Amino acid sequence: MPGGTSRDARRTERYIDGLMEAEEHGAAEVPMDLDLDPAVLVAARELRASLTRVHPSFRFEEGLAARLAQVGAATQGPRREPAAQVFASPIAPFRAPGLAVAAAAAAVGGSMASAGRTATRDGLAPLDVPHRLSLTSRSNRPFVVGGVGVASAAISLGAAYVAWRWSRGSQTPMVRAVRAARSGRGGHASGHGRRAAVLHGILGVMS
Amino acid sequence: MFGSTKESVRPARLDRDRGLVESARRDPACFDALYRKYLAQVYSYAFYELRDHHAAEDATERVFMQALTGLSRFEERADSFVGAAGDAPEAAADASTFRVWLFRIARNVVSNERRRNRRRPVASLEHTTGLAAADDIFESAAAREAGTAAWRAVARLPEDRRRAVVLRFVDEMSTAEIAAVLGRSEGAVRVLLHRALRSVAADLRGGLS
């Protein structure tokens, strides 16, 4: 009777499930089904005990692993994308973030979009390509480069200020005297010469 | 009436190997993790089917080579089960996880190997396992005798029942997974297993009497 066979088949399935679960959890007793043929229960237990998993030899395992690695390495070359191609696009938005995002999306649109399709087809969460690109371009590169730019500008301003101060002639008499005394210092000027120059400068100031 | 037909949908199961498969797709060196995980299962399936260690090794190698080179073609398909209201939901035959896909390759490789082996003599499973367990002969003689009887009974089963038994008891697959590997419905696999157990029971009883 087909209905009876189907019912018994379901019972047998439940029994095997219980048998395996009990073994997995180390249970001492196996669930019983009194409506099932005892011979079937015995056969299930016998098969569970006898049909053990067989492991190949260690030498075979390692040998096959090496051969698979060789085949994998042979197929790996053309499929791997160069790093520059992957990471070049986020650098571009640094100059003009708004435009660069679109440009980068267009540049890598093929590869990233195809990755997104693959992921969706395989049941993974789809990648939001433009979002990822904009985040990358705004948070990383401009921040780092902008900091360097501010520091560089500050140094330039400082240097310009010092140069301006240096080149600007002071109008105070004392400064003029000191400058005159300094200009009087020669590489080989004697101490007497320096003193005379200072006195000359002071006298000039006084006059 | 189409409108009155209600469908019961069982939630799709996720492939536990999805992460490993994606890694192996990006970098074939990562295939090693999948290989180590399923080596014993595939080898056991081949061994119980071919009953010879060397033939099982050859088949195992072919299975993993095919899996590695064909990994880009593997598509995970959820086993969403759809059935009429009141009926038990049945597995879609095209449901596929990496494990199911791998065992489909194994089934094909082993079938080809068996076809080839029909032309030449093959060492029996009992003989091979007897040689492998020769060192503990005194300790497990009784156990091995019982095991040998069970193996003999399984070996006498028709091909589809034997495969179902090996996938269920050795590789610990669920009925749904076996159905996907063998391309049968879950109900058909349940009946296959039930009848296989009845046959084994009768065989064991005959051996005892």
Side-chain angles (χ1 to χ4, degrees), chain A residues 103-127:
Chain A
V108 295
S111 61
M112 291 292 280
S114 65
R117 271 200 305 276
T118 306
T120 308
R121 192 178 57 196
D122 289 343
L124 291 171
L127 298 172

Side-chain angles (χ1 to χ4, degrees), chain B residues 73-149:
Chain B
R73 292 192 295 274
F74 163 63
E75 275 185 53
E76 183 189 335
R77 282 192 294 269
D79 52 349
S80 51
F81 299 81
V82 181
D87 292 346
E90 289 293 321
D94 62 344
S96 183
T97 58
F98 175 77
R99 189 192 195 198
V100 165
W101 179 71
L102 187 68
F103 271 86
R104 279 180 181 155
I105 296 174
R107 189 193 67 181
N108 290 335
V109 167
V110 165
S111 295
N112 291 338
E113 190 67 23
R114 283 176 67 88
R115 268 196 292 275
R116 258 198 302 273
N117 285 348
R118 279 184 196 131
R119 298 178 198 143
R120 55 186 167 136
V122 178
S124 69
L125 179 67
E126 294 91 322
H127 175 67
T128 317
T129 50
L131 287 175
D135 53 341
D136 58 352
I137 191 161
F138 296 111
E139 295 168 15
S140 57
R144 279 195 299 111
E145 194 160 329
T148 305

Side-chain angles (χ1 to χ4, degrees), chain B residues 26 36 38 45-46 80 87 98 153 156 179 200 204 209:
Chain B
R26 280 193 296 273
R36 306 274 181 188
Y38 288 113
Y45 174 73
S80 51
D87 292 346
F98 175 77
R156 273 198 280 267
V200 169
L204 291 176
S209 61

Side-chain angles (χ1 to χ4, degrees), chain A residues 41-108:
Chain A
L41 304 184
V42 170
R45 280 200 297 269
E46 197 64 55
L47 289 182
R48 181 60 187 153
S50 306
L51 299 185
T52 52
R53 195 171 285 176
V54 191
H55 202 283
S57 66
F58 178 73
R59 180 186 285 184
F60 170 76
E61 179 177 354
E62 294 308 315
L64 181 52
R67 288 192 288 280
L68 287 169
Q70 279 178 351
V71 172
T75 58
Q76 190 176 12
R79 288 165 62 185
R80 176 174 278 178
E81 290 182 31
Q85 204 176 342
V86 175
F87 294 107
S89 50
I91 295 172
F94 154 61
R95 289 179 187 164
L99 293 172
V101 168
V108 295

Side-chain angles (χ1 to χ4, degrees), chain B residues 138-190:
Chain B
F138 296 111
E139 295 168 15
S140 57
R144 279 195 299 111
E145 194 160 329
T148 305
W151 277 326
R152 205 177 290 137
V154 170
R156 273 198 280 267
L157 289 172
E159 197 169 270
D160 50 354
R161 289 186 198 176
R162 188 186 61 248
R163 278 183 186 160
V165 164
V166 170
L167 290 173
R168 187 76 167 108
F169 287 97
V170 179
D171 293 311
E172 298 177 357
M173 283 191 174
S174 67
T175 309
E177 283 179 307
I178 298 170
V181 170
L182 299 182
R184 312 281 288 261
S185 71
E186 270 190 71
V189 170
R190 265 186 226 110

